[in-house]
């Protein structure tokens, strides 16, 4: 039977000027939907897993359209809730060559930000799940979202379901009276797998110093929080806005494992590449017996997302396996 992933988080409308135009040139916007956790679920669905996303949409035509987007991409929407009127959104100006991308968020007061813990029965939601995933963005949105995320993690712990958290967060999102240093540690300490960086560990937990080697920071994090079994990161070398190199790294308490460095010479869309890495990691850890293969799979999935427009990695399992095994030709599949 296919493994099942459950994710929790906001889904937003993404509005972008056509092609690589700047905001000042736009007379229309292209619309797609996306959100970190839903991106992970959809990517895993395209790899052949079962996947469900838990979220809250406005009770109007936009909320229904977003739900249809999730269904179109193979997600169960049984646990999508509706209420209030506003859909979270963000505007993306895509960069090119030496011009960076720019993002503007409009998500305060969205239907998801107004979610309450009592709205969700997590034992029912997780009853047939093999994995639960969250990101550090969700608890930054509102106190209700943070408490709901904590309830989900603790329920998964009680039910013996592995939990992963991609905990790198954006400081400027924490606007409801609590800081990430107050909230993230309680969530992360109940995870089996944490995706972060040495800088993230220092900022959120106060361990180590800026610039400290990732392996040492990861080791210190696991010493303080023994439930965490693996600490993972993706490193990126930016040659230009269109040319990057990426590598996956994992510390499992015994071994420090690095994937091969993958060279991405022509980026189509880099939004959602971290989510593609997380989805590949989850798939790899559920389907391989060793961390070497899991981190190589995650890195290959991440690299391929750079070639796909939109927030979501829509590549197939065969695509990832082919790149993971060293086929970088991009030859036509017949």
């Amino acid at each position: 039977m296919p493994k099942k992933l459950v994710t929790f988080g906001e889904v937003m409308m993404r509005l972008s000027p056509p092609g690589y135009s700047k905001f000042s040139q736009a007379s229309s916007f292209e619309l797609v939907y996306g959100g970190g956790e839903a991106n992970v679920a959809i990517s895993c669905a395209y790899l052949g897993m079962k996947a469900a996303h838990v979220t809250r949409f406005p009770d109007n035509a936009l909320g229904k359209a977003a739900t249809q987007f999730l269904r179109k991409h193979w997600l169960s929407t049984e646990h999508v809730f509706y209420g209030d009127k506003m859909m979270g959104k963000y505007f993306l100006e895509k960069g090119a060559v030496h011009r960076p991308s720019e993002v503007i968020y409009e998500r305060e007061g969205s239907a998801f930000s107004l979610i309450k813990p009592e709205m969700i029965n997590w034992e029912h939601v997780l009853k047939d799940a093999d994995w639960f995933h969250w990101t550090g963005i969700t608890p930054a949105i509102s106190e209700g979202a943070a408490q709901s995320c904590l309830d989900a993690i603790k329920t998964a712990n009680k039910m013996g379901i592995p939990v992963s958290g991609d905990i790198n967060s954006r400081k400027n999102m924490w606007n409801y009276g609590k800081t990430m240093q107050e909230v993230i540690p309680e969530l992360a300490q109940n995870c089996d797998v944490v995706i972060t960086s040495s800088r993230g560990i220092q900022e959120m937990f106060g361990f180590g110093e800026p610039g400290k080697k990732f392996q040492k920071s990861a080791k210190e994090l696991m010493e303080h929080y023994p439930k965490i079994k693996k600490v993972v990161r993706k490193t990126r070398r930016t040659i230009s806005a269109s040319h990057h190199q990426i590598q996956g790294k994992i510390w499992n308490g015994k071994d420090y494992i690095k994937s091969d460095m993958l060279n991405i010479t022509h980026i189509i869309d880099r939004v959602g590449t971290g989510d593609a890495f997380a989805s590949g990691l989850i798939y790899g850890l559920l389907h391989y017996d060793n961390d070497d293969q899991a981190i190589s799979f995650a890195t290959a999935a991440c690299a391929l997302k750079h070639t796909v427009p939109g927030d979501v990695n829509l590549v197939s399992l065969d695509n990832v396996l082919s790149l993971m095994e060293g086929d970088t030709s991009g030859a036509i599949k017949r």
Side-chain angles (χ1 to χ4, degrees):
M1 291 290 292
K3 302 290 187 180
K4 181 176 178 180
L5 168 68
V6 174
T7 57
F8 173 61
E10 185 168 31
V11 176
M12 295 175 291
M13 299 168 62
R14 167 178 146 181
L15 298 156
S16 302
Y20 293 92
S21 297
K22 291 181 63 62
F23 289 135
S24 59
Q25 297 174 292
S27 58
S28 63
F29 289 92
E30 297 171 345
L31 168 64
V32 296
Y33 293 93
E37 302 84 0
N39 295 345
V40 172
I42 292 172
S43 297
C44 283
Y46 273 79
L47 295 173
M49 291 176 60
K50 295 172 66 178
H53 185 61
V54 184
T55 193
R56 188 170 187 259
F57 288 138
D59 191 10
N60 56 31
L62 290 176
K64 299 303 191 296
T67 305
Q68 189 61 34
F69 169 82
L70 298 180
R71 289 178 182 154
K72 174 184 175 182
H73 292 295
W74 309 101
L75 294 194
S76 166
T77 56
E78 179 185 358
H79 306 296
V80 171
F81 304 92
Y82 300 93
D84 298 294
K85 298 179 180 179
M86 185 186 141
M87 184 89 184
K89 63 184 74 69
Y90 74 100
F91 298 85
L92 170 69
E93 180 184 279
K94 286 183 278 187
V97 192
H98 304 300
R99 174 169 60 87
S101 297
E102 183 176 344
V103 174
I104 300 170
Y105 288 101
E106 289 185 3
R107 61 200 308 174
E108 188 174 351
S110 68
F112 183 83
S113 73
L114 300 175
I115 200 166
K116 304 297 181 188
E118 58 269 20
M119 294 176 180
I120 309 172
N121 180 341
W122 284 109
E123 288 192 2
H124 176 63
V125 170
L126 295 168
K127 66 180 184 299
D128 56 351
D130 296 289
W131 198 282
F132 176 74
H133 179 74
W134 63 282
T135 80
I137 292 173
T138 293
I141 292 171
S142 68
E143 192 160 6
Q147 186 58 53
S148 298
C149 192
L150 180 60
D151 289 350
I153 293 167
K154 288 186 173 181
T155 302
N157 290 168
K158 185 172 67 174
M159 297 172 71
I161 298 165
V163 176
S164 56
D166 188 347
I167 65 173
N168 291 325
S169 189
R170 298 168 177 84
K171 286 189 237 182
N172 60 2
M173 284 187 62
W174 293 83
N175 298 319
Y176 62 89
K178 290 193 176 180
T179 66
M180 59 183 178
Q181 292 83 2
E182 293 176 292
V183 176
I184 292 292
E186 185 178 10
L187 300 170
Q189 68 181 329
N190 292 297
C191 291
D192 301 274
V193 178
V194 166
I195 304 171
T196 187
S197 63
S198 53
R199 179 179 177 180
I201 292 171
Q202 196 278 327
E203 286 182 346
M204 287 180 251
F205 303 93
F207 303 153
E209 300 174 1
K212 190 173 183 179
K213 288 188 176 180
F214 175 68
Q215 183 181 354
K216 290 185 177 180
S217 297
K219 184 177 180 181
E220 192 168 356
L221 181 64
M222 289 171 62
E223 287 172 351
H224 279 82
Y225 301 125
K227 179 169 175 52
I228 300 173
K229 302 299 188 294
K230 303 178 195 295
V231 184
V232 187
R233 75 168 300 189
K234 166 181 59 65
T235 60
R236 179 185 299 273
R237 183 184 175 204
T238 303
I239 292 121
S240 73
S242 309
H243 182 187
H244 293 184
Q245 295 173 328
I246 61 164
Q247 183 179 41
K249 302 176 181 180
I250 185 168
W251 168 251
N252 61 17
K254 292 175 58 181
D255 301 309
Y256 186 43
I257 302 164
K258 301 179 183 179
S259 74
D260 291 337
M261 181 81 74
L262 292 179
N263 199 38
I264 306 154
T265 57
H266 184 69
I267 294 172
I268 303 299
D269 196 331
R270 69 156 287 181
V271 174
T273 54
D275 304 325
F277 180 80
S279 67
L281 179 69
I282 292 166
Y283 184 94
L285 292 173
L286 282 171
H287 292 86
Y288 291 110
D289 293 330
N290 63 75
D291 292 338
D292 300 70
Q293 289 177 296
I295 198 66
S296 294
F297 190 96
T299 307
C302 176
L304 287 166
K305 168 60 191 76
H306 290 75
T307 70
V308 180
D311 275 34
V312 183
N313 200 19
L314 305 179
V315 301
S316 69
L317 178 60
D318 286 344
N319 291 152
V320 182
L321 291 175
S322 181
L323 181 56
M324 179 182 169
E325 291 163 5
D327 183 0
T328 60
S329 67
I332 296 174
K333 302 293 184 183
R334 299 184 187 273

